[in-house]
Amino acid sequence: MYIINFKAYPESTGKKAVLLAKACERVSIELKKTIVVAVQATDIATVAKAVSIPVFSQHIDQYGAGAHTGYVSANAIIAAGAKGTLLNHSERRLSKKELKASVLEARATGLKVVICAKNTREGVKLSKKYEPNYIAVEPPELIGGDVSVSTATPDLISKSAQKIHSAVLVGAGIKNHDDVRIAHKLGAQGILVASSIVKAKDPYNTLKEMLSNLS
Ligand code: G3P
């Protein structure tokens, strides 16, 4: 699975979120690969209406339906068309209590859950505790940078793939086909990527080239 995290970049917000999601959908159909777009909560409804690929939220809060003001609930993102959510991303870390309650909400409502971890150790712990659909390991210091997790910390990928019981995704600084190929070779089942696609001059071609000819 390949998750394109739209974050809160201007290039992936509002109408541009829809255009970018359509480019991701095109690549998904042409390459027959599962590509998920993780968009801001405010863009879920329009993006989900526009594309057939899975739309995830970048986060949900710990509260379900009811008297809660200003939170993003699992029910609300499902009503908007989301199929899953990221949780505990490095840019949106949760306390233990928040993470537990959010995972319970996600599970109770049938959302797919991707829990992010900053290293293998945390990934092992969170995988055991919550058994999510995926653990996404991303070294925070490489996020948004020029050096990819595949180049800088290949050991982290292989260790994560060996030790974490859930399916493992990796991310941070992923830029090109080689980064993805190496991640797979070391045992990752997919990647999370943001800036190199969102900020690309031509996101369709950049993503297509990144995911083409992977065995
Ligand atoms: O969620 C993916 C992300 O944190 C990695 O960001 O910009 O390094 O691909 P980037």
Side-chain angles (χ1 to χ4, degrees), residues 108-185:
T109 52
L111 285 170
K112 292 250 186 294
V113 177
V114 179
I115 300 184
C116 301
K118 60 184 179 207
N119 53 36
T120 305
R121 204 167 142 219
E122 188 178 51
V124 169
K125 212 169 97 190
L126 295 175
S127 170
K128 273 191 192 145
K129 194 158 182 187
Y130 296 118
E131 298 180 355
N133 301 91
Y134 290 90
I135 290 282
V137 185
E138 299 194 303
E141 67 282 5
L142 299 176
I143 291 178
D146 291 329
V147 183
S148 73
V149 61
S150 308
T151 312
T153 54
D155 281 5
L156 171 136
I157 303 179
S158 42
K159 258 192 219 155
S160 296
Q162 279 162 24
K163 295 188 174 173
I164 296 173
H165 293 301
S166 313
V168 168
L169 307 177
V170 294
I174 299 272
K175 294 265 174 302
N176 53 40
H177 176 80
D178 262 4
D179 291 330
V180 182
R181 188 183 52 76
I182 292 168
H184 277 308
K185 196 174 153 207

Side-chain angles (χ1 to χ4, degrees), residues 5 7 9 89 91 138 142-145 172-174 192-195:
N5 182 356
K7 301 202 173 179
Y9 290 119
H89 190 279
E91 293 154 359
E138 299 194 303
L142 299 176
I143 291 178
I174 299 272
L192 254 96
V193 58
S195 49

Side-chain angles (χ1 to χ4, degrees), residues 4 6 20-28 35 37 53 197 207:
I4 318 305
F6 283 27
L20 182 58
K22 284 189 171 176
C24 296
E25 178 188 46
R26 218 175 127 198
V27 176
S28 169
I35 297 177
V37 289
I53 56 175
I197 302 301
L207 183 60

